[in-house]
Structure formats: C-alpha cells, structure tokens
Amino acid sequence: MPHPILPGPVPGSCAEMAYLPKTPPAFQGDIQHDLRDHLGDQRLLTLSDWVGEASTLYLRAADILRLRQQDALAITLDADERFDARSLWVAHDHMAAHWRAHRLPEVMAGRGRLSWPPAMLCNPVDSYRDLTAIFRQWLQLQTSAWADQMPDVLELFLRAVVGDHTRTGRFYEAELYFTLAELYPVPGVTSLKPLRTGRAA
C-alpha cells in the first residue's frame, strides 16, 4: 500500500528549520542574525555590567578628588544602585552594532578560534557566550578610555542612567546617543544631531 503524501514541508526539513531573526539588521552586511539576537537577549546583563563599570570609575575619581560627598552625581550613584534599563537601550544597541561591524571581523580572524588579546580562546567561533563576553570586555575598555580621555562622555553616560528615563533623563539619553554615533559610527547610518532648543527642565 503506498504511503500517503504529506502536505506542506516534511518535519525536520531545511525549510522548517530556517532561522527567523528577532531583530532587524543594523547595517548592510549585518548577517549574523543569531549573534545579533543573542546580544539583544543578553542586553540587561550587559547593561548591568556596563553601568557598574562606569559608576566604579566615576566614584573612584570622586574619591581621589575628595568630592564624593559634594558631587551631586556621585551622591545619586551612591544612593541607589538600581536604574531603568530603557535609559541605555538605544546606546547598547548602537554600540553592539558598531562592534559587530568593526570589531567582530577582527575577533573572528583567528581561523576557528576567537582572537582577543592577550590570549587566544579555544572555543569554536559560534560560542555566543564567549562572543558576548568579548563584547562586554570591549565596552569596559571604551568606558575606561572615557574616564581617562573623555570624562564628559562618562558623565553624560551616567547622567542618562540616573535620569531613570524621565523627561530630563531622555534629554541625556538623546545627547548620549548622538555622541556615541559620532564616536562609534555604524556603516550606512547617519544621525544628524538636531538643533538644540535648550536643556531639559
């Protein structure tokens, strides 16, 4: 007796197993959809690490200058470790796009290994956990560079954090995005800074 013909794709076929991205590409050639989605899925933990590093650097500087008890931003950072993750959502995704476009090819150049000085990681190149760890380490390096060379950027970043997505906070979020877009360009993405109409109330 002949087997019945099954309608539609056969279970387990390639058509059924095709990956459907959850996030849109940020630039032409942003084709590693699964990694992009993974970085998005890990966004909250990445932001927690990033804010922790930035806060530590700022408070250390405030201690050195003996301003920790007088500086309003330092006092606010000391008062509450919580923050509204929405305040850095756009900044995170922009930095992740820049990293995928400009740094990921260097990381993947190890021919089967993840290349990140000072050592070669022996994990296969599809290890999302290790790629995410390298992205977070890169963010920390950028934040340290801000503290040393561009303290205004570090302060802007933390003002967006303590703004907690309020009206004032959103002003700093926008300023932070335009600053990062200039410092860390993404191929094919232009972000023209709007004319200033005064600081937020």
Side-chain angles (χ1 to χ4, degrees):
M1 187 170 180
H3 293 289
I5 298 175
L6 297 174
V10 177
S13 69
C14 292
E16 186 180 280
M17 296 171 61
Y19 184 81
L20 296 176
K22 295 184 287 185
T23 56
F27 54 90
Q28 187 175 7
D30 192 14
I31 59 174
Q32 295 194 346
H33 309 301
D34 45 356
L35 174 60
R36 187 179 66 244
D37 286 348
H38 182 77
L39 291 173
D41 289 341
Q42 297 297 308
R43 187 187 286 116
L44 292 179
L45 185 54
T46 301
L47 287 175
S48 179
D49 290 348
W50 195 12
V51 170
E53 178 70 11
S55 299
T56 298
L57 290 168
Y58 189 87
L59 292 174
R60 187 181 301 152
D63 283 337
I64 291 171
L65 297 172
R66 298 183 180 177
L67 294 174
R68 189 156 178 164
Q69 306 305 320
Q70 291 83 34
D71 182 80
L73 182 53
I75 292 169
T76 304
L77 291 171
D78 269 334
D80 193 353
E81 294 182 353
R82 297 170 300 173
F83 69 97
D84 189 334
R86 294 175 299 171
S87 61
L88 295 177
W89 207 276
V90 172
H92 168 279
D93 289 357
H94 178 82
M95 294 295 275
H98 173 88
W99 181 80
R100 290 194 307 274
H102 296 283
R103 300 292 172 247
L104 183 59
E106 299 170 5
V107 171
M108 302 291 280
R111 294 199 176 102
R113 296 181 174 205
L114 302 179
S115 174
W116 184 245
M120 295 283 282
L121 302 178
C122 295
N123 302 74
V125 294
D126 60 354
S127 173
Y128 302 141
R129 182 186 63 190
D130 286 326
L131 287 170
T132 303
I134 291 172
F135 169 59
R136 289 174 180 160
Q137 187 177 6
W138 177 79
L139 279 179
Q140 289 185 352
L141 289 172
Q142 303 314 302
T143 310
S144 295
W146 300 345
D148 291 339
Q149 303 163 24
M150 296 179 287
D152 289 349
V153 178
L154 180 65
E155 182 178 347
L156 179 58
F157 177 88
L158 290 171
R159 288 196 179 281
V161 171
V162 301
D164 273 340
H165 209 56
T166 60
R167 181 182 175 192
T168 301
R170 288 194 295 272
F171 170 82
Y172 287 117
E173 291 167 35
E175 286 287 308
L176 177 63
Y177 168 72
F178 290 118
T179 300
L180 294 180
E182 184 176 349
L183 292 173
Y184 302 92
V186 173
V189 177
T190 55
S191 300
L192 298 177
K193 195 167 185 176
L195 293 174
R196 293 193 181 195
T197 56
R199 293 178 82 81

